[in-house]
Amino acid sequence: MKKQRYYLGIAKQIAKGSRCKRLKVGCIILDPLHRIVSTGYNGTAINTDNECEDGATYPYVLHAELNAILFSKQDLTGCTLYCTHSPCVHCAACIIQAGITEVIYAEQYRNKDGINYLIKNGITCRIWT
């Protein structure tokens, strides 16, 4: 239990790297031995203008979960993803495709489609507040 709070605390610190104004999201991925193998926050692609929104979020903003998956240098099969917010359905599909088996998040996003999709496909999901 203490470890979950610790890892979500790290994800919250990672979120501070986001330049998004509406919602800063942070994510870390741990391997089966509980070592951090990747991190990510929501923002635009590398070497692009890092402005995320103008009243609404730009469609090209990459979500924290996808950035963490893309930046990983190893196979993510059997890993656990910790995120400040529950994933959207697109990120959920990427999580499944990457082989991640567990998702732990601090806050439920307004749309539950991502979590429902993960659960439907056998991914363990837990909210930790």
Side-chain angles (χ1 to χ4, degrees):
M1 301 280 187
K2 286 183 181 181
K3 285 185 179 184
Q4 291 171 336
R5 183 175 296 125
Y6 171 73
Y7 293 131
L8 286 170
I10 294 171
K12 288 177 182 179
Q13 290 300 312
I14 298 287
K16 292 179 180 180
S18 173
R19 300 246 334 249
C20 294
K21 296 175 185 92
R22 187 179 61 82
L23 183 63
K24 296 179 185 295
V25 180
C27 175
I28 64 172
I29 300 174
L30 278 68
D31 70 11
L33 296 175
H34 306 289
R35 296 176 295 204
I36 297 172
V37 296
S38 192
T39 66
Y41 55 81
N42 54 328
T44 59
I46 293 173
N47 297 323
T48 66
D49 179 8
N50 199 18
E51 293 305 314
C52 297
E53 55 217 356
D54 183 15
T57 301
Y58 295 128
Y60 48 80
V61 169
L62 299 167
H63 292 189
E65 303 93 326
L66 183 57
N67 269 326
I69 290 168
L70 290 172
F71 285 120
S72 176
K73 302 295 184 207
Q74 70 180 61
D75 180 13
L76 298 178
T77 301
C79 287
T80 299
L81 183 144
Y82 285 82
C83 199
T84 57
H85 296 77
S86 62
C88 70
V89 72
H90 181 262
C91 287
C94 293
I95 288 165
I96 293 166
Q97 186 73 12
I100 293 167
T101 55
E102 184 175 19
V103 173
I104 298 169
Y105 57 99
E107 294 182 43
Q108 176 65 54
Y109 190 62
R110 64 179 179 241
N111 184 319
K112 295 183 180 182
D113 291 347
I115 288 297
N116 293 337
Y117 187 63
L118 289 169
I119 292 168
K120 177 183 173 186
N121 287 283
I123 307 301
T124 301
C125 298
R126 289 184 280 183
I127 188 166
W128 184 261
T129 55

